[in-house]
Amino acid sequence: MIELSAKFLKIFGSAKSVAVLTGAGLSAESGVPTFRGTEGLWSKFRAEELATVEAFLNNPKLVWEWYLHRRELMNQVTPNAGHYALAEMEKYFEDFTLITQNVDGLHRAAGSQHLLELHGNISRNKCLECGKPFRGEINLESGKPPQCECGGRIRPDVVWFGELLPEKVVREAFEAASRANLFFSVGTSSLVYPAAAMPLTANRKGAYLVEINLEPTPLTEFADYSLLGKSGEILPEIIKRLPK
Ligand code: BV8
Ligand code: ZN
């Protein structure tokens, strides 16, 4: 049984506007490797080698192989109790926004509606040049990435390092963070910007900031309440305390 602070429960019971930022830690219990953990996806490769436009232009086959491998993985995993708890939480607040850095689609699969995907979605493809969505088969036999009608190269529809996040999604996320009474940062190492700036914005604008993570992060010192542990265990405990 996880002890929850009385102060937190009071705020949780009276909050009107809630926002949540999630990272790879939320999907870890579904079997999706995180990025920076010891078994992290990038332990073999470094982010810069793969999740950048340069890497793709340099070696499209390698980058596509990495994404196809991860897509394979995503097709075999299902949401965990943490995803379902957040989908449940959404129903209890008139203003609830789920902001995710994850590209695995598990929040939508768990039933979350008001979802902002900051870094795109690994199941979607688009043209590098004209941005048009591409629904065709990704066949690497030729060694070159599939081509768009415009002649451009097809890439995964995710945001790479050095790329801007979708403008509308970022604006809505910062607006949600700014008006939140209560902000949860869950399962993220709080290293990647601009996502990592969102909990800080919420805190600065007066939100009660809760961090749920396996380990402390650079955000921990700013958190009003820090819960160390598994999101798949802690979030369901919190949901149990929702006003019936
Ligand atoms: C941008 C999609 C404007 C792709 C991702 C130098 C040059 C260029 C850019 C920069 C630079 N310096 C800084 C920047 C900005 C850069 C950045 O922030 N870099 C960091 C690393 C320093 N950001 C960008 O480039 C962004 N764009 O700023 O554009 C610009 C333009 C030009 C130049 C400057 C700025 C774009 C960032 C988006 C990159 N794309 N992913 C893909 O997935 O392949 S980021 C990637 O990291 C994922 O999206 C992931 O979600 C995200 C963050 O990682 P986390 O989710 O936090 O995962 P991580 O493994 O790190 O941590 C997991 C945590 O969970 C751990 O703490 C662990 O303890 C915990 N955990 C584990 N299990 C559990 C758990 N917690 C609870 N329960 C558990 N069971
Ligand atoms: Zn195109």
Side-chain angles (χ1 to χ4, degrees):
M1 177 65 177
I2 296 165
E3 273 309 299
L4 293 169
S5 93
K7 171 120 201 267
F8 161 69
L9 289 170
K10 189 164 164 302
I11 292 172
F12 188 52
S14 59
K16 292 278 167 289
S17 170
V18 176
V20 183
L21 172 70
T22 62
L26 203 97
S27 299
E29 290 159 83
S30 295
V32 181
T34 60
F35 286 86
R36 295 168 186 82
T38 40
E39 87 305 336
L41 273 170
W42 288 337
S43 49
K44 286 187 291 301
F45 298 105
R46 281 164 19 85
E48 291 68 22
E49 280 166 14
L50 288 168
T52 65
V53 177
E54 294 72 26
F56 180 71
L57 295 176
N58 249 336
N59 191 337
K61 195 164 181 308
L62 173 69
V63 173
W64 259 119
E65 279 167 359
W66 188 52
Y67 279 95
L68 290 179
H69 161 68
R70 288 173 61 195
R71 209 172 265 177
E72 260 310 294
L73 214 64
M74 304 299 176
N75 291 337
Q76 287 143 31
V77 298
T78 52
N80 63 60
H83 293 104
Y84 288 114
L86 290 174
E88 185 60 24
M89 195 190 280
E90 177 169 2
K91 300 175 195 154
Y92 280 85
F93 296 100
E94 54 194 78
D95 174 20
F96 182 91
T97 308
L98 178 53
I99 307 161
T100 189
Q101 300 172 86
N102 300 340
V103 296
D104 56 32
L106 288 176
H107 283 304
R108 195 134 358 245
S112 290
Q113 308 280 322
H114 189 193
L115 176 66
L116 299 174
E117 290 182 315
L118 294 177
H119 297 159
N121 187 309
I122 200 164
S123 62
R124 292 196 304 260
N125 303 317
K126 68 179 180 182
C127 173
L128 177 72
E129 273 75 15
C130 75
K132 196 163 168 294
F134 177 80
R135 289 180 182 74
E137 154 90 358
I138 303 295
N139 180 320
L140 298 177
E141 248 65 294
S142 68
K144 287 208 305 297
Q147 287 213 326
C148 168
E149 292 128 35
C150 79
R153 283 151 291 198
I154 299 301
R155 54 167 286 179
D157 185 8
V158 295
V159 178
W160 280 329
F161 283 101
E163 289 193 306
L164 291 171
L165 279 62
E167 196 270 331
K168 183 169 174 296
V169 167
V170 172
R171 191 180 59 246
E172 282 184 21
F174 274 110
E175 282 166 0
S178 304
R179 65 172 185 269
N181 316 111
L182 176 58
F183 193 102
F184 292 93
S185 179
V186 191
T188 179
S189 55
S190 300
L191 293 174
V192 172
Y193 281 80
M198 294 171 185
L200 295 169
T201 301
N203 189 244
R204 208 181 49 248
K205 300 267 176 109
Y208 187 81
L209 177 59
V210 182
E211 182 180 41
I212 299 170
N213 206 58
L214 264 192
E215 64 196 355
T217 72
L219 182 71
T220 309
E221 61 177 292
F222 299 97
D224 295 297
Y225 189 32
S226 166
L227 284 156
L228 288 180
K230 292 186 169 182
S231 46
E233 291 168 7
I234 295 173
L235 286 169
E237 281 302 312
I238 291 178
I239 295 306
K240 277 188 200 154
R241 318 296 290 267
L242 275 168
K244 289 293 166 259

